Amino acid sequence: MDAEKHALLRKLPGVDYVIDLWEKSPPSENIPRPVVVQSIRAALDALRQQILGSTEPVDTTLFSDEVLLRLTRAQVEKRLAFNLTRVVNATGVSVALHVARMSSRYSNLEFDLEKGARGSRYSVVEDILCEISGAEAALVVNNNAGAVFLALETLAKGKAVIVSRGELVEIGGSFRIPDVMARSGARLVEVGTTNRTHPADYENAISTDTALLLKVHTSNYSIVGFTSDVSLSEMVALGAKFHLPVMKDLGSGSFVDFSKYGLIKEPTVQETVHAGVDVVTFSGDKMLGGPQAGIIVGKKQFVDPIKKNPLNRALRIDKMTLAALEATLRLYRDEARALSEVPTLRMLTMPIKTILTKARRLQNRLKKLGNARVQVDLLNGSSRVGGGSLPLQQLPTKCLGIRIEGLSANRLEALLRKASPPVIARIEEDVVVLDLRTVLEDEIAVIADTFKKILAES
Ligand SMILES: *Cc1c(COP(=O)(O)O)cnc(C)c1O
């Protein structure tokens, strides 16, 4: 077998051969030559790997001229595509990650970006933040990791910060509370246990060295069972008693009380401010559904020194982001409007009837392809919220389970993912499942076309 493979590898055409092929039928678009050469190398490399990895006999038809050109074209497309392409999210995991962070990021940009000096634009966003949250002062930086770091560096450098052991979270992308704290120069004092922390634990740990009491939202996990947690108001009371500021890292903060819409209760930004917390930090691009940003709101006495920290400049956001954040925040002045226009919120609160309509529409379009290899079943499912929020929340949803004769579920999932634009699905019990909650109306046709292509090519 190995000898056969090596004989076949020797027959694999060289780069020059494929360049000639390419130049005989060049695409209408002018592709830079280095891109073509790189793409051909990658295509040949992929074929080499395919030959070496194959468990079945292969022959030279594997690299016919037609295949060589098709593989090269695919590589060229990949190289010319922007890194942040549009993605059809059919995973049901809400836009907290996908849509908000990628496609809809700048969609509300109805602003004259050149107008208004930096200072005034910042203050507009800060004013709206105070208005919505009820805080005295506000500040925005490039993400919430930056917000937490900057606040700790300002308020607790060289001093002790007390945190419950149940709240020493790690967020994806290497954000860990103990590590960020170490970098800020603050000293972490852990109190309580993983499942239970009491006010007395904080009280016993307070010393002349203590600069801050910190509470961290356990964004992506939940401690259940025999648990006890110190409430925000108990923390605020402790802070008042010992003249120490209290800070809360909300993670994916929201201005909307989701329990009104049948979801699990999460403390809102307003409630946290109202409870008397001195400094509150949260992300602009998780539940809020805005651009990547970190937001700090709180009492002037503590937020002003954070603004004056020279590191602030290193963490500042650019004016495009600021404009997008302003547009998003304006929507929150009217909750009904925010629910219908912020994609994250729209998807979280989408009525099951709307999801069902989309599922039926896609099912019909797939039936209309008239291909007997396709089997489509309408399924009840459950969406996850994602984006490091509401880890226990399950949302009832409608899905399509799709099988194509001759393609395994793994293969079909991979073909969808590699399509242009990529369609991201999941596999459940060996069936490819598309969750229609996160699929936008105009993406139904895109998905149907993708299936049509896949059926024609494999
Ligand atoms: C997500 C998260 C962060 C980091 O926020 P980014 O905006 O992604 O930098 C910090 N703390 C908590 C609790 C989080 O959930």
Side-chain angles (χ1 to χ4, degrees):
M1 189 72 179
D2 269 6
E4 273 169 44
K5 281 183 180 174
H6 285 111
L8 195 59
L9 281 180
R10 275 196 296 277
K11 288 190 193 150
L12 192 67
V15 175
D16 290 342
Y17 176 84
V18 191
I19 291 180
D20 282 348
L21 267 185
W22 179 268
E23 281 171 355
K24 269 182 228 153
S25 56
S28 52
E29 202 184 341
N30 185 27
I31 315 282
R33 192 173 164 91
V35 173
V36 176
V37 175
Q38 260 181 27
S39 303
I40 292 172
R41 290 221 171 91
L44 291 173
D45 217 43
L47 279 172
R48 221 169 272 128
Q49 297 307 325
Q50 199 181 335
I51 293 169
L52 287 173
S54 163
T55 50
E56 286 154 29
V58 274
D59 59 36
T60 51
T61 55
L62 187 69
F63 42 84
S64 66
D65 287 358
E66 193 195 327
V67 173
L68 288 170
L69 277 177
R70 177 156 56 80
L71 291 177
T72 303
R73 252 181 252 123
Q75 290 289 340
V76 166
E77 263 177 40
K78 200 163 118 185
R79 282 174 173 68
L80 293 186
F82 285 99
N83 264 337
L84 282 184
T85 53
R86 167 193 161 127
V87 172
V88 177
N89 172 14
T91 61
V93 178
S94 105
V95 284
L97 280 172
H98 295 288
V99 181
R101 280 202 165 154
M102 291 188 178
S103 57
S104 74
R105 198 140 149 196
Y106 294 125
S107 62
N108 295 320
L109 266 183
E110 56 208 21
F111 289 89
D112 178 357
L113 293 171
E114 299 310 317
K115 227 166 81 184
R118 200 184 105 78
S120 80
R121 185 158 282 288
Y122 261 82
S123 60
V124 168
V125 168
E126 290 167 8
D127 288 349
I128 301 179
L129 278 168
C130 292
E131 175 195 318
I132 306 173
S133 69
E136 289 173 8
L139 168 69
V140 287
V141 292
N142 65 0
N143 56 23
N144 187 34
V148 173
F149 172 78
L150 191 65
L152 290 172
E153 215 272 348
T154 312
L155 302 173
K157 188 174 182 175
K159 298 225 159 193
V161 176
I162 306 178
V163 190
S164 160
R165 287 198 169 88
E167 299 175 359
L168 296 174
V169 307
E170 174 183 312
I171 311 297
S174 79
F175 176 93
R176 287 176 159 195
I177 285 288
D179 297 349
V180 171
M181 193 165 304
R183 285 291 166 141
S184 75
R187 189 163 57 78
L188 170 65
V189 176
E190 300 174 29
V191 295
T193 59
T194 305
N195 57 327
R196 288 171 75 86
T197 302
H198 309 282
D201 294 326
Y202 288 90
E203 198 157 345
N204 293 337
I206 291 172
S207 73
T208 50
D209 199 32
T210 309
L212 185 73
L213 306 178
L214 174 64
K215 228 175 139 49
V216 183
H217 189 271
T218 59
S219 308
N220 48 7
Y221 66 97
S222 200
I223 297 176
V224 295
F226 185 55
T227 64
S228 176
D229 185 32
V230 176
S231 72
L232 268 186
S233 54
E234 286 170 319
M235 283 287 272
V236 170
L238 277 171
K241 183 169 167 192
F242 293 94
H243 305 287
L244 289 171
V246 175
M247 169 167 150
K248 169 96 193 225
D249 174 15
L250 270 178
S252 64
S254 177
F255 295 122
V256 175
D257 178 358
F258 290 109
S259 65
K260 285 197 287 192
Y261 307 98
L263 304 179
I264 293 170
K265 171 80 190 162
E266 288 280 349
T268 63
V269 175
Q270 302 91 302
E271 286 163 1
T272 310
V273 169
H274 191 74
V277 174
D278 299 290
V279 177
V280 184
T281 67
F282 54 102
S283 282
D285 56 333
K286 288 183 179 169
M287 282 301 203
L288 216 61
Q292 182 193 305
I295 299 171
I296 304 174
V297 298
K299 300 209 177 118
K300 210 166 165 352
Q301 178 192 351
F302 301 105
V303 175
D304 278 354
I306 301 175
K307 282 186 188 174
K308 293 203 185 96
N309 188 326
L311 283 169
N312 192 358
R313 187 178 169 87
L315 297 169
R316 79 175 186 188
I317 65 178
D318 70 287
K319 58 186 173 183
M320 290 282 281
T321 309
L322 203 53
L325 183 61
E326 182 184 345
T328 307
L329 291 172
R330 275 170 188 272
L331 295 175
Y332 280 97
R333 286 178 161 157
D334 174 357
E335 185 166 309
R337 186 143 177 242
L339 285 182
S340 75
E341 291 187 30
V342 176
T344 317
L345 302 186
R346 192 172 59 227
M347 291 188 186
L348 276 177
T349 57
M350 186 175 289
I352 194 87
K353 260 170 67 184
T354 312
I355 308 176
L356 179 62
T357 309
K358 289 192 286 182
R360 292 229 168 95
R361 202 166 289 157
L362 178 58
Q363 188 176 29
N364 284 336
R365 291 195 76 127
L366 292 175
K367 275 190 186 146
K368 277 205 195 117
L369 294 178
N371 192 314
R373 290 170 64 203
V374 186
Q375 188 194 325
V376 188
D377 296 305
L378 185 62
L379 308 170
N380 290 318
S382 143
S383 316
R384 278 192 309 113
V385 175
S389 7
L390 297 170
L392 298 184
Q393 182 77 56
Q394 298 280 349
L395 298 167
T397 188
K398 297 287 175 184
C399 302
L400 293 181
I402 303 181
R403 266 178 273 238
I404 295 185
E405 207 185 290
L407 285 183
S408 69
N410 281 322
R411 178 94 184 107
L412 178 55
E413 185 275 334
L415 288 171
L416 286 167
R417 185 160 30 84
K418 288 175 189 161
S420 175
V423 177
I424 313 298
R426 58 175 191 254
I427 297 177
E428 276 176 17
E429 293 170 20
D430 232 24
V431 177
V432 168
V433 172
L434 304 184
D435 184 334
L436 274 291
R437 175 185 295 277
T438 48
V439 174
L440 306 174
E441 281 294 334
D442 62 352
E443 290 174 341
I444 290 174
V446 176
I447 296 178
D449 281 348
T450 306
F451 274 98
K452 196 172 160 186
K453 269 188 226 145
I454 289 177
L455 284 164
E457 286 171 10
S458 41

